[in-house]
Amino acid sequence: MRVRHLGSALLLIAAPAFAADDDAVPRVNDITSMEARVQGCVTCHGQEGQGTANGYFPRIAGKPANYLYNQLVAFRDGTRRYAPMNYLVAYLPDAYLKEMAEYYARQRPPFGAKEAPKGDAALIERGKVIVTAGDGAKQLPACVACHGAGLTGMEPGVPGLVGLRPTYIAAQLTRWRVGERHAVEPDCMRRVATRLSDSDVAAVALWLARQQPPQNPAPESSNLVRMPLACGSQR
């Protein structure tokens, strides 16, 4: 019972600091529901996982359940480090984390207002090239080869990129480049990120943040044949 009501306890701690943002205020009708048990996530990720105005907290709604589960396990076990997340899931068992992941994977809230960050036209065009076509000279595959033509991700473990803010995208790519973020081996994102320059990271983040979400935000079906690199998250 202590685990099942963790979210309700956390909302009492977290709610006051975010009270000005309606999407980040925990609220629930049935305290026994999964919705109630994930209220500790609301202040950063929004009521339905749609994200909030803070650019460093990503949209998690609709991402593949296996991807979300892998991230929760990584935060719990300390292989992915962000202190608030490490703390929130530190004592949660695998089955509970899987239930949380499946809950958010089913959510389909509207996308928030799209950012249109300003940047040099050449830099934005560079981002488009990397995302849609890759760079053979750097052995960079196109992002769409794994993350989907609509950038909504691929089952079972590749996340969508649409709807993410440039600050989050740049931060995660940088963490992979410097070895602070890891995925299940073979870590395809590590291989990709280390081939990106600082300006490439900025370009990709700028271009992705400017894209409109597709009408159907669901991840694509698994397609290992199309993927340019072996990726442990797709096992």
Side-chain angles (χ1 to χ4, degrees):
M1 293 296 292
R2 181 168 174 261
V3 169
R4 293 180 66 85
H5 293 290
L6 175 64
S8 300
L10 289 172
L11 72 86
L12 296 176
I13 299 171
F18 293 86
D21 186 341
D22 287 344
D23 286 336
V25 177
R27 57 183 183 275
V28 65
N29 294 320
D30 180 2
I31 64 171
T32 66
S33 65
M34 174 52 72
E35 180 188 16
R37 287 183 271 151
V38 297
Q39 288 300 296
C41 310
V42 168
T43 52
C44 294
H45 295 289
Q47 191 66 40
E48 297 177 89
Q50 73 272 28
T52 59
N54 189 316
Y56 289 99
F57 300 137
R59 177 186 177 93
I60 56 176
K63 284 183 165 56
N66 275 20
Y67 169 77
L68 295 173
Y69 172 69
N70 287 341
Q71 301 315 302
L72 288 169
V73 170
F75 280 124
R76 183 196 62 191
D77 296 349
T79 56
R80 184 174 177 185
R81 294 189 297 275
Y82 177 63
M85 281 297 302
N86 299 138
Y87 171 78
L88 286 174
V89 300
Y91 301 104
L92 299 184
D94 287 352
Y96 194 89
L97 296 181
K98 186 163 290 188
E99 196 174 355
M100 291 173 64
E102 291 170 351
Y103 170 81
Y104 277 114
R106 292 192 299 269
Q107 305 308 305
R108 295 291 187 273
F111 284 80
K114 180 179 66 67
E115 281 193 33
K118 295 181 179 180
D120 178 78
L123 190 66
I124 294 172
E125 179 62 22
R126 172 64 176 162
K128 178 181 178 180
V129 169
I130 293 174
V131 173
T132 62
D135 184 337
K138 287 190 170 186
Q139 296 185 301
L140 275 173
C143 301
V144 295
C146 297
H147 292 276
L151 300 170
T152 58
M154 183 193 294
E155 297 287 358
V158 178
L161 303 177
V162 68
L164 297 178
R165 298 178 185 271
T167 46
Y168 179 79
I169 297 167
Q172 299 312 306
L173 288 173
T174 300
R175 287 188 173 118
W176 253 303
R177 286 180 67 209
V178 302
E180 289 183 1
R181 184 170 174 180
H182 310 274
V184 178
E185 291 293 343
D187 188 347
C188 50
M189 273 305 303
R190 169 71 171 154
R191 292 172 65 186
V192 169
T194 53
R195 299 169 188 172
L196 297 170
S197 66
D198 288 342
S199 63
D200 287 341
V201 168
V204 168
L206 279 171
W207 190 83
L208 285 173
R210 297 166 69 91
Q211 303 314 297
Q212 291 285 358
Q215 288 188 334
N216 180 7
E220 293 184 5
S221 299
S222 179
N223 188 340
L224 297 179
V225 174
R226 192 184 74 191
M227 296 184 70
L229 299 172
C231 200
S233 63
Q234 291 299 84
R235 289 177 176 174

